[in-house]
Amino acid sequence: MPTFYENRQLVTPGDLLAEGNYVAGENTFKEEGKLYASCVGMVEYSERRVNVVALKAFYTPKVGDTVIGKVTDVTMGGWIIDIDAPYPSLLRASDVMERSYRPQKDELTSIYDVGDLLIAKIVSYDRTRDPLLTVREPGLGKITRGQIVEITPTKIPRVIGRKGSMISIIKSETGCHVLLGQNGTVLVRGKTPEEERLAIMAIRKIESESHTSGLTNRVTEMLKKEKEGESKND
Amino acid sequence: MTKKEAKMIDKDGVRADGRKPDELRPTKIEVGVLNNADGSAYIEQGKNKILAAVYGPHEVHPKHLALPHRSRLRCRYHMAPFSVDERKSPAPSRREVELSKVIREALEPSIFLEYYPRTSIDLFIEVLQAHGGTRCAGITVASLALADAGIPMRDLTAACAAGKVEGQLVLDLTDQEDKKGEADVPLAYMPNLDAVTLLQMDGQLTLEEFEKTISLSLEGCKQLYLLQKEALKVKYVAVKEDIEE
């Protein structure tokens, strides 16, 4: 079972990755016993599986994902939410109300209006139906404060880091609360705009350098340096 | 009319622009040139300058065009009014409508359209300066713009023409060579899968010449394919090298 690239090497669509008894993982496909890449990204070989971590991608909804979206329309029975996916998603009015929903009486715009940002969870989605969202869990609902950063969704795991190492560094160094939407939208909430600026800078750095190693150290370094610069200015 | 037209190929087999018969025009490709598009690419092949942009996959408008089993690829090949010597009307001509169709059909087999039912992928190919072989160069950049948008693909598609000029078989015809030559064979090819997705012919060739022309343009496609791959990687390699210094 030969493989044709090194681990974490850059590949482009159509590149032959492996032959023989491998399972085609993410962003790969198999044809006549040969495994090819289908995206620009980095190969990852494991025991039996070959994955390609895409360097640029769009979000494909998955049941159970927490996402950050924007209300784009209010309809009869709910809201249409843009979650940066190929499909618009729905949030039903009955999901938000405590009691049953009465279309004649209840004014949906008084709950969420066009332009509001929401943290929500995907409860159902398949190829034939648009994603359905819920906000009926602690921590979900309207965003009232903070700043939004958008990154390529495949880089969310990199922002989290191994066992959450990266995200905990950003949180502790900047004092910000960072909430990651699986769709690539990140909410940063800090006590001061300056703290938020730092955290956003760190996230942007992770996005542009996600395919290099030793990133955690460089991010820590950058944050420390920036903070020093700031205290001198004060 | 001048009595004696300048020859397109001199007695040493060198062409008007100094190329050998089996040589491509100098080609420069750049990926991710537009911020507002989901994916984009730009190519300069000789005097051709072409920009490609991709949006999607996203909701289809108008809604009745949505397909239940796969994504719809919509393609617009368009020549800017200033792309040719005499101003071209910006309205899509009959030729542009046809090229949009053949380009779409040349790219469709390379994309996993069935992954995203009920959506559309919109592709725009804008020819800023035309100098022969724009349909092929258009396919070459469009394929890169699709890859840049993160759309899963079976392979990149490279395209290149070959033909017969003054009795000689040549690769990658320019505008003059195409107009004055005897035949022109544009071909699009997915090198890793060894599949041809576009094959047209304008003019007349013997069977033997035709076969030679095809192998000539296949070679051209393979060279372009290497340039495509490099263009996709160069951004990321640059970041990596910066850090390792």
Side-chain angles (χ1 to χ4, degrees), chain A residues 94-110:
Chain A
S94 55
D95 184 87
V96 182
M97 308 261 183
E98 291 298 319
R99 46 194 171 67
S100 65
Y101 167 60
R102 287 166 302 177
Q104 293 88 350
K105 278 199 167 175
D106 297 318
E107 187 60 60
L108 289 185
T109 49
S110 64

Side-chain angles (χ1 to χ4, degrees), chain B residues 16-194:
Chain B
D17 53 3
R19 282 185 293 157
K20 291 195 261 338
D22 60 347
E23 198 177 333
L24 285 172
R25 282 174 279 187
T27 305
K28 202 185 93 191
I29 310 179
E30 218 175 306
V31 172
V33 287
L34 303 173
N35 278 332
N36 294 345
D38 293 327
S40 60
Y42 173 68
I43 191 170
E44 281 181 16
Q45 187 169 5
K47 287 177 187 161
N48 282 327
K49 292 183 180 173
I50 305 173
L51 199 53
V54 170
Y55 293 84
H58 56 189
E59 272 187 281
V60 195
H61 287 295
K63 275 221 162 85
H64 69 268
L65 290 177
L67 300 170
H69 61 292
R70 67 173 176 95
S71 179
R72 179 185 284 276
L73 179 64
R74 292 193 283 197
C75 174
R76 186 180 99 131
Y77 165 96
H78 183 250
M79 289 172 83
F82 48 81
S83 63
V84 275
D85 286 340
E86 189 124 341
R87 179 183 181 274
K88 189 209 145 284
S89 158
S93 64
R94 188 194 157 113
R95 175 178 169 274
E96 285 169 289
V97 174
E98 183 189 317
L99 286 190
S100 301
K101 178 187 172 284
V102 299
I103 290 172
R104 189 189 76 228
E105 286 173 354
L107 291 168
E108 266 176 345
S110 72
I111 311 171
F112 286 101
L113 290 171
E114 61 277 20
Y115 285 6
Y116 306 100
R118 298 177 292 115
T119 63
S120 84
I121 298 169
D122 297 334
L123 168 62
F124 298 89
I125 299 170
E126 193 69 25
V127 179
L128 304 178
Q129 187 170 288
H131 198 247
T134 51
R135 84 188 64 189
C136 291
I139 291 170
T140 310
V141 252
S143 185
L144 285 175
L146 288 164
D148 184 48
I151 295 166
M153 296 200 289
R154 276 172 252 268
D155 198 355
L156 297 171
T157 313
C160 167
K164 189 173 158 192
V165 178
E166 291 173 356
Q168 270 220 52
L169 298 184
V170 292
L171 180 67
D172 196 11
L173 281 76
T174 60
D175 199 30
Q176 289 90 347
E177 287 174 328
D178 181 24
K179 282 188 179 127
K180 291 183 187 160
E182 292 94 277
D184 173 36
V185 182
L187 180 141
Y189 179 59
M190 296 193 281
N192 264 345
L193 303 181
D194 195 27

Side-chain angles (χ1 to χ4, degrees), chain A residues 173-184:
Chain A
E173 288 291 327
T174 64
C176 281
H177 181 76
V178 182
L179 198 134
L180 302 163
Q182 294 297 323
N183 60 339

Side-chain angles (χ1 to χ4, degrees), chain A residues 5 8-16 27-29 31 36-40 42 55-58 60 80 85-88 125-130 155 208-213 215 218, chain B residues 32 37-40 56-59 68-70 112 114-119 147-156 192-193 225 228-230 232-237 239-240 243-244:
Chain A
Y5 288 89
R8 299 184 71 75
Q9 201 178 340
L10 212 53
V11 293
T12 53
D15 281 350
L16 180 61
N27 299 315
T28 60
F29 66 100
E31 235 159 58
Y36 302 91
S38 69
C39 270
V40 187
M42 290 183 305
L55 283 169
K56 207 173 166 202
F58 49 88
T60 321
I80 310 284
Y87 307 96
Y125 162 71
D126 64 39
R127 290 165 55 88
T128 59
R129 250 171 307 166
D130 290 337
K155 292 177 180 175
S208 63
E209 298 175 12
S210 69
H211 58 295
T212 59
S213 50
L215 186 52
R218 281 202 308 281
Chain B
D38 293 327
S40 60
H58 56 189
E59 272 187 281
H69 61 292
R70 67 173 176 95
F112 286 101
E114 61 277 20
Y115 285 6
Y116 306 100
R118 298 177 292 115
T119 63
D148 184 48
I151 295 166
M153 296 200 289
R154 276 172 252 268
D155 198 355
L156 297 171
N192 264 345
L193 303 181
Y225 185 66
Q228 283 180 309
K229 282 171 67 157
E230 198 188 299
L232 276 177
K233 286 179 185 171
V234 73
K235 237 187 336 193
Y236 301 105
V237 174
V239 172
K240 205 167 179 174
I243 287 157
E244 276 159 11

